[in-house]
């Protein structure tokens, strides 16, 4: 769509109608800042009042692009990729702007799937703690911080005694609940910058950053 220097919509094509649900006659002559399209960012901030990429393009003449959300005529939010550029008159003055936008749903769905895959790869399904792979990442990060900045850290290894006998006596379902209870206990008693993980089986490991030998003696 095209807007003039007051951001009043002058042109609205069929692609814009299809994506937004707004017919041309519903938007022509209206300002895009009047809440017709209601562009917002991923944090929920309304860009029509502050941070509008289209308006910014008209102010400095530079093209812009952004991943934002737009209000659909049926009331739901539509993820879109917008690209804005200025329109110049016969001289060098800016007389308006054009914004091209496309459906961004596929990109968001792909990002969501990647986050799910990453979470599945790093989180122990039974306890919700970080798994062995997550522990490896965390311990490497702590070792790197120690090498670069001499940052001290500690590590605790926790093993549940006689767990095999417990499983054989009461069954694996009860054993799983015990592991979950232990995991919740660790999570609720660790500091914000401690990293509790399930090492494997009935073994747990905690990486404790920002701790020194003096701290341990004090506790």
């Amino acid at each position: 769509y095209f807007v003039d220097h007051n951001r009043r919509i002058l042109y609205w094509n069929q692609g814009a109608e299809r994506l937004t649900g707004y017919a041309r006659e519903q938007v022509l002559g209206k300002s895009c800042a009047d809440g017709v399209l209601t562009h917002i960012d991923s944090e929920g901030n309304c860009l029509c009042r502050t941070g509008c990429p289209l308006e910014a393009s008209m102010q400095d003449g530079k093209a812009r692009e952004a991943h934002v959300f737009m209000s659909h005529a049926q009331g739901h939010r539509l993820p879109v990729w917008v690209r804005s550029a200025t329109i110049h008159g016969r001289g060098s003055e800016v007389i308006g702007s054009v914004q091209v936008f496309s459906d961004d749903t596929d990109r968001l769905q792909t990002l969501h799937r990647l986050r799910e895959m990453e979470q599945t790869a790093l989180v122990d399904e039974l306890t919700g703690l970080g798994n062995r792979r997550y522990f490896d990442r965390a311990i490497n990060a702590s070792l790197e911080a120690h090498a670069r900045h001499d940052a001290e850290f500690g590590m605790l290894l926790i093993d549940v005694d006689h767990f095999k006998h417990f499983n054989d006596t009461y069954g694996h379902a009860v054993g799983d609940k015990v592991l979950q209870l232990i995991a919740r206990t660790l999570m609720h008693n660790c500091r914000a910058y401690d990293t509790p993980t399930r090492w494997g089986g009935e073994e747990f490991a905690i990486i404790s950053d920002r701790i020194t030998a003096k701290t341990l003696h004090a506790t």
Side-chain angles (χ1 to χ4, degrees):
Y1 65 97
F2 299 166
V3 299
D4 63 16
H5 64 281
N6 292 317
R7 294 166 65 184
R8 189 170 64 248
I9 298 173
L10 304 178
Y11 176 76
W12 187 258
N13 72 6
Q14 291 181 348
E17 289 184 336
R18 183 180 66 256
L19 281 174
T20 67
Y22 287 105
R24 182 174 56 181
E25 55 270 18
Q26 292 178 281
V27 298
L28 287 183
K30 295 183 179 180
S31 171
C32 64
D34 288 339
V36 178
L37 304 179
T38 317
H39 290 87
I40 62 173
D41 62 18
S42 59
E43 303 297 324
N45 302 309
C46 182
L47 301 178
C48 297
R49 293 190 291 268
T50 57
C52 174
L54 186 146
E55 182 179 27
S57 292
M58 286 193 289
Q59 289 178 351
D60 61 16
K62 296 180 181 179
R64 295 282 198 297
E65 61 181 49
H67 296 282
V68 300
F69 292 89
M70 176 183 291
S71 177
H72 192 276
Q74 295 180 353
H76 61 270
R77 291 196 308 174
L78 175 71
V80 290
W81 179 36
V82 298
R83 287 147 287 172
S84 303
T86 53
I87 301 173
H88 297 268
R90 292 184 178 180
S92 60
E93 76 279 8
V94 175
I95 62 173
S97 181
V98 56
Q99 186 170 93
V100 179
F101 58 95
S102 55
D103 191 341
D104 208 25
T105 303
D106 289 344
R107 184 189 71 90
L108 283 185
Q109 289 179 340
T110 299
L111 288 175
H112 180 67
R113 285 194 298 268
L114 288 174
R115 291 191 189 102
E116 286 186 332
M117 290 171 63
E118 183 177 6
Q119 184 179 33
T120 301
L122 298 175
V123 175
D124 177 62
E125 185 177 355
L126 176 64
T127 63
L129 297 178
N131 60 18
R132 180 65 177 269
R133 182 179 296 180
Y134 186 82
F135 169 85
D136 290 341
R137 287 192 181 187
I139 194 69
N140 285 332
S142 294
L143 288 169
E144 184 176 347
H146 176 69
R148 288 187 176 184
H149 311 294
D150 200 28
E152 296 188 48
F153 70 96
M155 188 178 72
L156 292 81
L157 291 176
I158 303 165
D159 179 76
V160 182
D161 290 338
H162 311 299
F163 189 72
K164 183 180 183 305
H165 175 72
F166 186 90
N167 262 342
D168 293 340
T169 304
Y170 300 102
H172 289 279
V174 176
D176 286 348
K177 290 184 178 180
V178 170
L179 293 176
Q180 291 170 341
L181 176 62
I182 294 171
R184 287 197 298 271
T185 301
L186 295 179
M187 284 189 287
H188 293 158
N189 286 277
C190 282
R191 301 169 304 169
Y193 34 83
D194 292 335
T195 306
T197 62
R198 186 181 181 191
W199 177 269
E202 71 276 16
E203 297 173 325
F204 298 85
I206 300 175
I207 301 170
S208 188
D209 289 322
R210 305 186 193 179
I211 195 168
T212 65
K214 184 181 294 186
T215 307
L216 289 174
H217 288 308
T219 56

